[in-house]
């Protein structure tokens, strides 16, 4: 592989997964970590990657970053499928399930199609469409459409959720920091998410491991408001221990 081909390969992985790690790149490409770090430094100088401790992320992955649903669709797709399967295993026939907007919760909606009798409450227009061919009772919150995420937000959504009760909520987040809590880049989205948490008996955070130890703009709730976390096996061991020490159940897939 030529030098520039290698750098384009690294950039392609970052665009697919949202990040790259020096150690993983060194092993997969078969070159030294020093060379990988130089490649990442050069890609940062071009403005296409942002260096972090141990690797690099796409330059838009800051607190204000709010990628579209289409942009997020291809990231960590295998992890999302495993998370969705584990999430569906927590659901029982006849329950009321609340689904936040996002690509992981969309995967969960698809996994729930194996059930016959569920009530689904969601603020995601695409999830309602995904479930339109089922026998489920599907309730949309109403509200103003955020075209970036196909989600409904604002006072109408918040007011409806105040009058609802769900057995279980699956909540996707952009940042999960044990000190700050769960965060999202959009203030209106965070308010709707907070109302969802209040409306639910059991709150399950569903997100890939890259979302941990990361903070976005708007806080949804503190970490202790979460009962269960489903994430992938790349979650650092110290983060897993900290979640369990906080009394949060953890499923790694």
């Amino acid at each position: 592989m030529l030098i520039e081909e290698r750098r384009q390969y690294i950039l392609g992985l970052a665009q697919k997964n949202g990040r790259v790690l020096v150690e993983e790149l060194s092993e997969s490409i078969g070159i030294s970590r020093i060379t990988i770090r130089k490649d990442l430094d050069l890609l940062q100088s071009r403005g296409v990657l942002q260096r972090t401790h141990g690797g690099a992320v796409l330059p838009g992955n800051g607190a204000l970053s709010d990628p579209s649903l289409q942009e997020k669709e291809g990231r960590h797709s295998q992890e999302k499928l495993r998370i969705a399967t584990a999430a569906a295993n927590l659901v029982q026939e006849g329950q009321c399930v609340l689904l936040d907007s996002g690509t992981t919760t969309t995967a969960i909606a698809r996994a729930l199609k194996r059930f016959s009798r569920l009530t689904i409450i969601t603020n995601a227009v695409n999830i309602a469409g995904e479930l339109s061919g089922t026998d489920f009772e599907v309730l949309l919150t109403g509200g103003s459409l955020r075209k970036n995420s196909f989600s409904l937000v604002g006072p109408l959504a918040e007011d409806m959720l105040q009058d609802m009760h769900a057995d279980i909520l699956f909540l996707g987040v952009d940042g999960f920091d044990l000190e700050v809590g769960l965060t999202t880049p959009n203030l209106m989205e965070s308010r709707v998410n907070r109302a969802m948490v209040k409306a639910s008996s059991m709150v399950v955070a569903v997100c890939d491991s890259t979302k941990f130890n990361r903070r976005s703009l708007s806080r949804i709730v503190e970490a202790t408001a979460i009962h269960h976390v489903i994430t992938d096996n790349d979650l650092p061991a110290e983060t897993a221990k900290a979640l369990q020490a906080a009394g949060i159940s953890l499923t790694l897939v």
Side-chain angles (χ1 to χ4, degrees), residues 133-144:
T134 69
D135 291 328
F136 299 164
E137 182 77 18
V138 180
L139 303 175
L140 268 170
T141 60
S144 300

Side-chain angles (χ1 to χ4, degrees), residues 88-144:
N89 289 337
L90 296 178
V91 176
Q92 297 179 18
E93 197 74 69
Q95 284 190 320
C96 178
V97 180
L98 184 48
L99 291 174
D100 173 32
S101 63
T103 52
T104 303
T105 46
T106 300
I108 293 171
R110 292 169 183 145
L112 292 176
K113 290 182 180 181
R114 65 181 173 88
F115 290 91
S116 301
R117 293 179 299 104
L118 291 177
T119 298
I120 305 293
I121 305 172
T122 186
N123 71 323
V125 175
N126 68 304
I127 287 178
E130 183 72 40
L131 298 176
S132 61
T134 69
D135 291 328
F136 299 164
E137 182 77 18
V138 180
L139 303 175
L140 268 170
T141 60
S144 300

Side-chain angles (χ1 to χ4, degrees), residues 9 91 120 146 149 184 224-225:
Y9 171 76
V91 176
I120 305 293
R146 283 194 68 224
S149 60
T184 184
T224 53

Side-chain angles (χ1 to χ4, degrees), residues 65-67 72 172-176 183-185 210-212 214-216 220:
S65 173
D66 190 13
K72 294 190 287 186
V173 297
D174 290 88
F176 195 130
T183 53
T184 184
T210 65
K211 304 296 175 60
F212 287 87
R214 171 173 151 179
R215 303 174 183 183
S216 195
I220 301 168

